[in-house]
Amino acid sequence: MKKGVKIVTIGGGSSYTPELVEGFIKRYHELPIRELWLVDIEAGREKLEIVGNMAKRMVKAANIDCEVHLTLDRREALKDADFVTTQFRVGLLEARIKDERIPLSHGIIGQETNGAGGMFKAFRTIPVILGIVEDMSELCPDAWLINFTNPAGMVTEAVLRYGKWDKVIGLCNVPIGAIKSASDVLGKPEEDLFFKFAGINHLHWHRIFDKDGTELTETVIDGLYGPNANPGKVVENIKNMRFLYEQVKHLKMLPCPYHRYYYMTDAMLEEELASFKNEGTRGEVVKKLEDSLFELYKDPNLDHKPEELSKRGGAHYSDAACEIINSIYNNKGTLMVVSTRNNGAIDDVPYDSAVEITSVIRAHGAEPVNFGKFPPAQRGLLQVMKSMEELTIEAAVTGDYATALQAFTSNPLVPSGDLAKTILDEMLEAHKEFLPQFAK
């Protein structure tokens, strides 16, 4: 790569951008960024200007030689980029709120990346990410795409399968939170532990070993989910981390926090319905939090990431993205949990599908650490969810109604039959502005 790096962030008006800028600043001694382009759409112009001006203040305060550019012209920004990061939300938070409220109004889970809401987020997002890849192939054909737009696993697989773009890595902050949580339980620094993750985005399991090779997984299970455990919070999006201890103990692996939607569906639905009727869905809560964050960002004296950003629900996303870029640029071989092509690392899902797995990050990308086979309890759910992802991605690309209905029918969080069709039809109508592929 040429001396000095050009990075483009699509969705640059995001409330997460200050953490991204902070991450680049602290790595500047080994990742010499000469240009950072923050890109958004007309509907995000005001937020782009607010957060973009704050980014400029942060760079100035850090006294680094980096130009920050703000633009609504994606193609202008992408020209000759080295890395492209994506953190956008098609339809903004209003679309997320519909993804939550419509299913809940029918008495089923309404969540940003799980169930009907997660599938609709994929329907809206995948055509946009494929358009970005098409522009990249023309304007920056050697660039890496680092995606943390949700649903991150399906977006990554769509880029690999339909975009034919191999230089892509998907990222989620949930494994980072899980690592920090386990480290706290064990009273050991993260660097003294080895974490072996495998699965798909928001549906992974992991095991933990110490430096001597001793497995500590069951110790952490007891500490987080045993009779006297106080699990705390791994992700802001989920209120309560309760699991059935005996069931998790049988897994002999630590579940992802989002497994609670599948292992504790009744409790999760009860909790969501209560919020739906009272303080509002998570999207409605986040909207208020975002409004307060942008009021903070307007302060002309603020030149650092505020502590309040950690409550947003995506803490550590952006810093991890910076570390992936750093590891690729410097061929560091950092161990990270990312979404990447399976390449046979997990026996139970297709070779060419996207999985979320512990990987070594080098100049050629993510090299997944071999995992092998899952036991029956994990394998069954994983394969059901992977087939649902494949159907969802196909529907997002083709706009085929029957495929979308089949995806709904295969999702464990969506009842099959007439109710699935009713919810699908209602959501297609609610989101039709952002689903032109279904307008046939």
Side-chain angles (χ1 to χ4, degrees):
M1 292 180 183
K2 51 189 174 293
K3 187 176 181 181
V5 180
K6 178 178 178 179
I7 296 178
V8 176
T9 296
I10 297 176
S14 166
S15 59
Y16 295 128
T17 295
E19 182 179 278
L20 190 71
V21 176
E22 179 188 69
F24 288 141
I25 288 170
K26 75 181 184 183
R27 292 172 176 83
Y28 186 75
H29 63 287
E30 54 182 341
L31 183 62
I33 301 173
R34 73 179 194 280
E35 294 178 57
L36 175 61
W37 287 72
L38 303 179
V39 184
D40 222 299
I41 60 174
E42 180 60 43
R45 179 192 290 270
E46 182 183 6
K47 287 184 175 181
L48 176 65
E49 290 176 355
I50 293 169
V51 81
N53 286 328
M54 181 179 167
K56 291 178 181 180
R57 294 194 298 271
M58 292 175 71
V59 165
K60 183 178 179 181
N63 195 31
I64 62 172
D65 184 17
C66 172
E67 294 183 8
V68 178
H69 301 267
L70 314 181
T71 184
L72 303 181
D73 186 339
R74 185 172 83 199
R75 290 177 60 82
E76 175 193 22
L78 287 174
K79 178 69 173 170
D80 298 326
D82 297 301
F83 294 92
V84 178
T85 72
T86 43
Q87 55 182 34
F88 58 89
R89 184 189 298 278
V90 179
L92 308 177
L93 276 170
E94 287 76 10
R96 173 180 179 170
I97 293 167
K98 291 177 183 177
D99 286 342
E100 295 167 340
R101 293 189 66 84
I102 293 172
L104 284 167
S105 72
H106 291 277
I108 71 170
I109 292 287
Q111 208 274 332
E112 180 187 22
T113 59
N114 290 265
M119 287 186 280
F120 262 84
K121 190 158 201 263
F123 291 165
R124 296 190 304 273
T125 304
I126 286 170
V128 176
I129 199 79
L130 293 178
I132 291 168
V133 168
E134 188 175 344
D135 283 349
M136 288 175 66
S137 66
E138 176 188 346
L139 299 167
C140 52
D142 297 322
W144 277 93
L145 175 60
I146 311 299
N147 173 71
F148 39 111
T149 295
N150 274 324
M154 283 194 269
V155 170
T156 302
E157 182 155 333
V159 170
L160 288 166
R161 190 182 299 276
Y162 291 93
K164 309 297 183 185
W165 191 271
D166 293 331
K167 297 176 78 170
V168 57
I169 295 175
L171 185 63
C172 179
N173 70 326
V174 173
I176 301 167
I179 288 169
K180 293 182 181 298
S181 179
S183 176
D184 289 344
V185 167
L186 294 169
K188 295 177 181 287
E190 295 171 29
E191 56 269 22
D192 288 349
L193 301 167
F194 174 71
F195 295 83
K196 193 168 187 177
F197 284 79
I200 57 179
N201 181 234
H202 287 185
L203 198 89
H204 59 249
W205 296 262
H206 66 281
R207 299 168 65 190
I208 307 166
F209 302 84
D210 68 12
K211 281 185 171 180
D212 298 320
T214 302
E215 183 160 5
L216 303 174
T217 307
E218 294 203 43
T219 302
V220 178
I221 290 173
D222 291 341
L224 286 175
Y225 309 119
N228 301 311
N230 180 17
K233 182 162 286 194
V234 176
V235 291
E236 288 290 334
N237 289 344
I238 301 177
K239 289 184 178 179
N240 184 342
M241 291 305 299
R242 182 171 69 91
F243 281 97
L244 297 179
Y245 173 63
E246 297 85 354
Q247 186 226 346
V248 177
K249 194 79 170 171
H250 175 266
L251 291 172
K252 294 185 171 54
M253 296 179 192
L254 282 145
C256 163
Y258 285 85
H259 273 111
R260 193 160 180 257
Y261 287 103
Y262 306 94
Y263 294 160
M264 299 293 294
T265 308
D266 55 351
M268 285 300 289
L269 179 57
E270 182 181 353
E271 191 173 82
E272 284 195 356
L273 287 171
S275 296
F276 174 60
K277 294 171 184 175
N278 297 306
E279 69 267 27
T281 67
R282 176 64 186 171
E284 290 169 304
V285 172
V286 165
K287 195 170 189 303
K288 293 174 185 174
L289 178 58
E290 274 216 343
D291 290 343
S292 65
L293 278 172
F294 277 94
E295 285 302 312
L296 283 176
Y297 295 168
K298 288 177 183 178
D299 182 352
N301 297 310
L302 184 65
D303 58 11
H304 61 278
K305 182 189 76 176
E307 180 60 32
E308 289 86 344
L309 182 54
S310 63
K311 299 175 184 177
R312 171 64 178 81
H316 313 300
Y317 259 122
S318 304
D319 191 64
C322 298
E323 187 52 39
I324 287 176
I325 292 171
N326 189 26
S327 196
I328 292 172
Y329 183 79
N330 290 297
N331 194 32
K332 291 180 68 173
T334 310
L335 273 176
M336 300 184 73
V337 184
V338 298
S339 287
T340 188
R341 184 180 275 119
N342 183 26
N343 286 342
I346 300 174
D347 288 352
D348 306 307
V349 294
Y351 187 93
D352 61 348
S353 65
V355 295
E356 189 166 87
I357 191 164
T358 301
S359 302
V360 182
I361 312 297
R362 295 200 178 275
H364 66 278
E367 195 71 45
V369 173
N370 185 65
F371 188 84
K373 292 181 180 294
F374 274 108
Q378 294 92 322
R379 183 177 69 241
L381 180 57
L382 175 63
Q383 291 179 334
V384 166
M385 293 300 291
K386 175 49 72 177
S387 67
M388 181 277 298
E389 286 194 347
E390 291 175 312
L391 287 164
T392 300
I393 295 165
E394 181 184 346
V397 172
T398 63
D400 182 70
Y401 180 87
T403 305
L405 182 59
Q406 193 70 266
F408 261 52
T409 302
S410 68
N411 193 309
L413 299 180
V414 181
S416 59
D418 292 335
L419 183 57
K421 189 175 190 305
T422 296
I423 296 171
L424 174 62
D425 292 347
E426 188 173 334
M427 295 184 77
L428 282 170
E429 178 63 26
H431 291 296
K432 63 182 178 182
E433 177 184 357
F434 305 107
L435 297 171
Q437 71 273 39
F438 286 96
K440 296 178 180 178

